[in-house]
């Protein structure tokens, strides 16, 4: 394999500002653990080779060589370290995208973590943020990348000294794949020694399936890794350190997993799975990450794809590998969607993961860590899947208006008051906001516990699930009659003057509200919003509006506290025929603010408040 970049016009490109700052952070703040660079570059090469092998199944032009390798060549005299692979390679556009830009959120998060981390913890941050390629500049003052996309004849050279810009030049490469040439710094001699590199590979990449060969000068090539399929070994033969290293390789995280599941399934169909529940969420992950499982599918040890959706979307936080003997190596994407074997494996895996979570839930502290990380994703299963709803409900955790920490639905049911017919909840944006919501006042006064739902999905799944333990799930914004029944003899009959205020407010507010009425569920607050009968929960309506999704829903109900001094004063104003237009708008905006919404016109709201306070 040879490469050539001569006689081609160079293109100068600037790094995005985020990449430039990122490289400076990597090079200077993580300087003490420089060996990390080799692990990152080898992992990238192994992934590229895996992807080419899978793409070749449906595209003959991408076929791998007979003996694909990851090759490391050391030229000590020229101070060059070259890492080559037979992987999928990159087109010009892919080089610019992969090596010239990076997500801004990842860089900011990386910088913050770096600032907060202890010095001894800083080397591990590279793997957490997907910035591995740039670690090459810890040991090299110049990096060249020559890549040819499989299935094409065109190759490109990328060259940079890591100082704000890079050059792109059309090049030649005999075969598809990528070559990375590191011009080693004067103080990094150790990385020009084959034994040192071999030790690093044994430490970090021994499990990679593709052979990694090292050649230095006139020495013969030798394999630097065993390439063992860790997941095929009995658990007793795998050390905790090996398991943690493999977890880090698969997830690109550098914590320890909350739980590890190594399972050899035997019977009508056979497969092995090595799955991990991570102990953290990668801060480099996109905010709106794709809702698909990325568990890797292998057939007889060989990587096939990470897009087989081996687990449902609501278990997409699980990472790992599934390896089976019961599929052909040349399995197509269409077969992956339709084969009964894969459907049975998916079902078995899902059941096993739920069983593992049930075990994990016995450790309260560890399970709360899991729940804080992945609970919102897990609860998506309540919306999507009826088969496992009962198990998901039992495993779900919620904040409560009366209990410290997190609680469960079974525990809530055990604490229900005599005469209480439903499981009550209030959905919103945070525990702090919900805990002080006026919506809770009447329920607190009656000693009725309310679950506080703080994730976006909580606005949707209760309607789908309907009930738990034969108890309906009901938002307290739709529970006026329930509370009145629980309050017993407490009843308020509107006076003629109060009816006058109600009529006046409805005329003033028009179709902004579907109804104005008094309520006994308020204690300290003057006003509150309620969902119309038969309409969706208020939080669901808010979420849909924030995401620019329209949904048919009636205007909210405006409920008044007839015992509040302000409402009493408005009753007298309305009786005397005085103008209460401004007060009507303030009441509605105030009710919105209490529920975490903005006034329709914040400036006008502020002006009306100022006028009300000063009388001017």
């Amino acid at each position: 394999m040879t490469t050539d970049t001569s006689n081609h016009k160079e293109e100068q490109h600037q790094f995005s500002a985020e990449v430039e700052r990122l490289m400076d952070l990597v090079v200077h703040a993580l300087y003490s653990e420089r060996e990390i660079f080799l692990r990152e570059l080898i992992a990238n090469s192994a992934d590229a080779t895996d992807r080419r092998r899978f793409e070749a199944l449906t595209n003959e032009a991408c076929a791998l060589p007979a003996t694909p390798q990851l090759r490391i060549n050391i030229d000590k005299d020229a101070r060059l370290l070259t890492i080559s692979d037979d992987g999928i390679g990159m087109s010009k556009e892919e080089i610019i995208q992969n090596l010239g830009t990076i997500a801004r959120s990842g860089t900011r998060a990386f910088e913050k973590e770096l600032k907060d981390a202890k010095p001894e913890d800083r080397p591990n941050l590279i793997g957490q943020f997907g910035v591995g390629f740039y670690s090459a500049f810890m040991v090299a003052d110049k990096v060249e990348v020559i890549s040819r996309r499989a299935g094409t004849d065109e190759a490109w050279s990328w060259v940079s000294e890591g100082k704000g810009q890079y050059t792109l030049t059309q090049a030649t490469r005999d075969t598809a794949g990528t070559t990375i040439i590191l011009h080693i710094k004067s103080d990094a001699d150790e990385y020009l020694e084959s034994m040192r590199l071999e030790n690093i590979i044994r430490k970090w990449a021994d499990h990679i399936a593709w052979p990694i060969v090292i050649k230095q000068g006139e020495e013969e090539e030798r394999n630097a890794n065993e390439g063992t399929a860790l997941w095929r070994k009995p658990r007793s033969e795998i050390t905790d350190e090996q398991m943690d290293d493999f977890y880090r390789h698969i997830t690109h995280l550098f914590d320890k997993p909350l739980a590890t599941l190594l399972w050899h399934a035997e019977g009508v169909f056979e497969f092995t799975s090595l799955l991990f529940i991570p102990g953290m969420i990668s801060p480099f992950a996109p905010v709106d990450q794709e809702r698909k499982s990325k568990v890797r599918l292998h057939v007889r040890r060989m990587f096939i794809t990470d897009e087989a959706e081996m687990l449902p979307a609501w278990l997409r936080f699980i990472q790992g590998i599934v390896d089976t003997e019961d599929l052909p190596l040349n399995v197509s994407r269409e077969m992956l969607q339709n084969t009964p074997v894969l459907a049975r494996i998916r079902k078995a895996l899902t059941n096993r993961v739920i069983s593992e979570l049930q075990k994990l839930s016995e450790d309260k502290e560890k399970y709360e860590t899991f729940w804080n990380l992945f609970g919102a994703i897990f609860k998506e299963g309540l919306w999507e899947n009826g088969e496992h709803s009962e198990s998901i409900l039992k495993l779900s955790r919620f904040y409560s208006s009366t209990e410290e920490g997190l609680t469960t639905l079974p525990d809530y049911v055990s604490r229900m008051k005599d005469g209480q017919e439903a499981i009550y909840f209030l959905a919103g944006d945070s525990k702090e906001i919900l805990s002080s919501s006026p919506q809770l006042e009447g329920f607190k006064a009656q000693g009725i516990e309310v679950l506080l739902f703080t994730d976006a999905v909580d606005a949707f799944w209760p309607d789908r699930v309907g009930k738990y333990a034969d108890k309906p799930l009901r938002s307290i914004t739709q529970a006026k009659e329930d509370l009145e029944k629980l309050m017993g003899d407490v009843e308020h009959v509107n006076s003629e003057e109060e009816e006058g205020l109600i009529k006046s407010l409805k005329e003033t507010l028009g179709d902004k509200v579907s109804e104005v009425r008094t309520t006994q569920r308020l204690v300290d607050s003057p006003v509150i919003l309620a969902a119309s009968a038969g309409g969706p929960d208020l939080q669901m309506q808010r979420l849909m509006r924030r995401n620019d999704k329209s949904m048919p829903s009636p205007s909210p109900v405006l409920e008044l506290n007839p015992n509040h001094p302000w409402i009493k004063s408005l009753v007298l104003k309305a009786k005397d025929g005085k103008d209460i237009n401004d007060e009507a708008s303030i009441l509605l905006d105030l009710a919105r603010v209490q529920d975490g919404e903005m006034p329709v016109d914040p400036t006008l709201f502020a002006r009306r408040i100022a006028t009300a306070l000063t009388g001017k």
Side-chain angles (χ1 to χ4, degrees), residues 355-543:
S355 177
E356 188 66 27
L357 288 173
Q358 289 167 344
K359 292 179 184 177
L360 186 66
S361 68
E362 296 171 5
D363 184 329
K364 182 178 179 181
E365 184 176 347
K366 187 175 286 189
Y367 193 75
E368 285 195 6
T369 299
F370 157 76
W371 190 256
N372 290 331
L373 290 171
F374 306 115
I377 296 174
F378 185 60
K379 282 184 292 186
E380 291 175 12
L382 295 172
W383 175 258
E384 295 181 2
N385 187 284
E387 181 182 357
H388 298 288
S389 289
E390 189 72 17
S391 297
I392 298 172
L393 284 170
K394 287 181 179 178
L395 286 166
S396 294
R397 300 291 184 267
F398 308 99
Y399 292 112
S400 163
S401 63
T402 62
E403 304 298 312
E404 289 293 326
L406 295 168
T407 190
T408 67
L409 283 175
D411 288 343
Y412 178 97
V413 170
S414 72
R415 295 190 294 263
M416 287 175 62
K417 299 286 187 181
D418 291 340
Q420 182 179 343
E421 299 175 357
I423 297 170
Y424 297 111
F425 69 87
L426 178 62
D429 295 330
S430 73
K431 176 177 178 285
E432 290 71 28
I433 292 175
L434 292 177
S435 295
S436 59
S437 171
Q439 301 278 3
L440 290 173
E441 290 179 11
F443 288 85
K444 284 182 177 178
Q446 298 301 311
I448 304 297
E449 181 179 3
V450 177
L451 295 176
L452 308 179
F453 288 180
T454 57
D455 296 311
V457 70
D458 291 328
F460 300 92
W461 67 261
D463 282 344
R464 178 68 61 90
V465 172
K467 61 184 179 179
Y468 174 78
D470 292 326
K471 304 290 184 182
L473 291 149
R474 189 166 297 149
S475 170
I476 62 173
T477 68
Q478 299 171 309
K480 176 180 182 290
E481 294 180 0
D482 293 45
L483 184 58
E484 289 173 350
K485 188 183 296 185
L486 290 165
M487 293 173 71
D489 295 333
V490 178
E491 186 177 357
H492 178 79
V493 178
N494 292 338
S495 66
E496 184 178 337
E497 290 82 3
E498 287 171 342
E499 288 293 343
L501 174 64
I502 290 171
K503 181 181 178 182
S504 180
L505 289 174
K506 184 66 179 78
E507 289 175 352
T508 301
L509 296 174
D511 59 8
K512 294 177 183 177
V513 294
S514 60
E515 183 183 354
V516 179
R517 66 193 181 202
T518 58
T519 182
Q520 290 300 298
R521 67 192 183 104
L522 291 174
V523 178
D524 300 314
S525 301
V527 68
I528 201 169
L529 290 179
S532 297
D537 177 62
L538 293 178
Q539 175 67 356
M540 183 188 295
Q541 295 180 44
R542 284 193 290 270
L543 287 171

Side-chain angles (χ1 to χ4, degrees), residues 56 68 100 109-110 127 131 153 180 187 231 241 274 305 350 356 423 430 432 479 520 528 550 603 611:
F110 180 83
V131 298
D153 296 325
I180 301 175
D187 63 347
W231 58 91
E241 184 179 13
L274 177 53
T305 181
T350 301
E356 188 66 27
I423 297 170
S430 73
E432 290 71 28
Q520 290 300 298
I528 201 169
S550 60
T603 302
T611 299

Side-chain angles (χ1 to χ4, degrees), residues 41 45 81-84 133 143-146 178-182:
L41 297 183
S45 292
L81 178 64
T82 303
I83 302 170
S84 300
F133 171 76
V143 177
E144 301 177 53
V145 178
I146 300 169
T178 299
T179 299
I180 301 175
I181 304 168
L182 308 181

